[in-house]
Amino acid sequence: METLRTIEEVREWRATGELGFVATMGALHEGHASLVRASAGANARTLVSVFVNPTQFGPNEDLAKYPRTLEADLELCKTAGADAVFTPDNAMMYPEPYRTWVEVEGLTDRLCGASRPGHFRGVTTVVTKFFNIVQPSRAYFGQKDAQQALILKRMTADLNLPVEIVICPIVREPDGLAMSSRNRYLSEDERKRAVGLSKALTEVRKLFESGTRNAGILRGQLITTLDDYVDKLDYAEVVSAEDLQPVNEIEGPTLVAVAAFVGGTRLIDNVILVDRDS
Ligand code: PAF
């Protein structure tokens, strides 16, 4: 496996042929490994980027303390089947004076976008830049960031970017906790309570499967369960999986999405409800 440090090195390395791309911020875990494996299984070569993108963090967020574990990340990439890892620095990605941004309207101002203003502008900008540098045939993202996945699909379609977006399932710990780089911030007690997000979503899914279609009832159940586990709820929403608009009665594919603080750590999780009959 090669380590590429500059944009020029990536351009040289990128020959013709199917190239899979996995964008990450490092602190890699089994969830990322599943993306790399999916890419390696479907493309001649796979490139992973490791870049803690400063423009997607708000002023009071965890940019400075975001975990950086490059040695272990390189090992995970190699084991999962990556052919190269690209590790640019801030000056390379945002040369001064930097003035160009990519923004997707509408989908970005709710859920995570409401509590993290500017976050998705940072994500869409850096992903567009990576697409232009790497020029992948396919790019792999996790369903755990459901809103990010939807926004990146919209952006790729709207801008006619010649890349196929592949969304891979959430990978969970044995007790149900969705894998996240931020899980490593959790103390022992917080780790036990963090399972509340997936527990609450599982209860909602069961309620849905037993016939409940009223979004208010499902949301009420979600919040009641979360209250027993988390320290602060950011949001708990039942929205259309297509446009993120709130729904009253569930008719089409529906996203149930949660963001909550356990101690000082903000965690997210979600489930998509689909009517078997629809
Ligand atoms: O999902 C992430 O880790 C980041 O938002 C991404 C897509 C790597 C962009 O920095």
Side-chain angles (χ1 to χ4, degrees):
M1 189 180 77
E2 290 186 57
T3 305
L4 311 170
R5 291 192 176 77
T6 67
I7 293 171
E8 290 70 30
E9 282 173 12
V10 175
R11 293 231 152 106
E12 252 171 56
W13 182 85
R14 203 250 174 273
T16 48
E18 304 249 283
L19 177 62
F21 173 54
V22 180
T24 81
M25 299 209 299
L28 305 183
H29 49 68
E30 225 0 76
H32 297 107
S34 76
L35 303 180
V36 178
R37 281 195 292 267
S39 173
N43 299 278
R45 293 194 299 169
T46 291
L47 182 143
V48 179
S49 64
V50 174
F51 177 61
V52 183
N53 175 34
T55 65
Q56 68 188 76
F57 288 79
N60 302 319
E61 293 182 356
D62 56 349
L63 172 61
K65 72 164 190 155
Y66 198 82
R68 283 152 171 95
T69 60
L70 187 60
E71 283 310 306
D73 293 346
L74 293 176
E75 202 47 49
L76 180 142
C77 288
K78 195 168 151 191
T79 310
D83 298 283
V85 176
F86 177 37
T87 58
D89 60 20
N90 288 347
M92 220 176 281
M93 293 303 285
Y94 297 104
E96 291 285 349
Y98 191 82
R99 301 210 181 283
T100 307
W101 301 94
V102 178
E103 282 203 66
V104 174
E105 294 179 348
L107 296 174
T108 48
D109 55 13
R110 57 204 75 220
L111 305 178
C112 288
S115 45
R116 303 186 69 190
H119 167 69
F120 286 117
R121 182 178 88 145
V123 171
T124 47
T125 299
V126 83
V127 170
T128 304
K129 288 169 68 67
F130 276 126
F131 284 176
N132 286 331
I133 295 166
V134 177
Q135 299 179 32
S137 325
R138 298 185 189 87
Y140 296 77
F141 298 93
Q143 173 61 24
K144 192 185 126 255
D145 297 291
Q147 187 175 13
Q148 169 174 284
L150 197 68
I151 289 167
L152 292 177
K153 275 189 173 173
R154 185 74 265 148
M155 174 188 90
T156 306
D158 287 354
L159 295 181
N160 309 98
L161 301 177
V163 50
E164 182 190 335
I165 304 292
V166 184
I167 306 302
C168 299
I170 299 176
V171 179
R172 297 181 179 281
E173 300 285 357
D175 67 354
L177 175 66
M179 297 231 179
S180 164
S181 303
R182 291 186 166 95
N183 290 350
R184 65 189 79 198
Y185 297 151
L186 300 168
S187 69
E188 208 176 308
D189 163 65
E190 289 163 358
R191 170 63 188 83
K192 284 187 194 138
R193 291 188 291 116
V195 77
L197 278 79
S198 68
K199 268 201 184 342
L201 290 165
T202 302
E203 281 174 15
V204 166
R205 185 172 46 72
K206 285 188 183 147
L207 205 53
F208 172 78
E209 281 168 359
S210 66
T212 306
R213 293 291 177 272
N214 183 282
I217 295 175
L218 295 173
R219 187 165 178 271
Q221 172 68 58
L222 188 62
I223 293 171
T224 306
T225 309
L226 284 167
D227 262 356
D228 290 341
Y229 291 90
V230 307
D231 295 304
K232 198 174 122 208
L233 190 61
D234 183 351
Y235 64 75
E237 299 294 342
V238 180
V239 298
S240 154
E242 269 144 35
D243 61 10
L244 305 181
Q245 291 295 332
V247 294
N248 294 325
E249 288 296 315
I250 295 186
E251 280 158 3
T254 301
L255 174 71
V256 184
V258 172
F261 286 87
V262 179
T265 305
R266 183 177 179 279
L267 300 174
I268 59 172
D269 200 351
N270 69 82
V271 68
I272 294 204
L273 305 178
V274 186
D275 227 324
R276 288 211 185 91
D277 309 331
S278 69

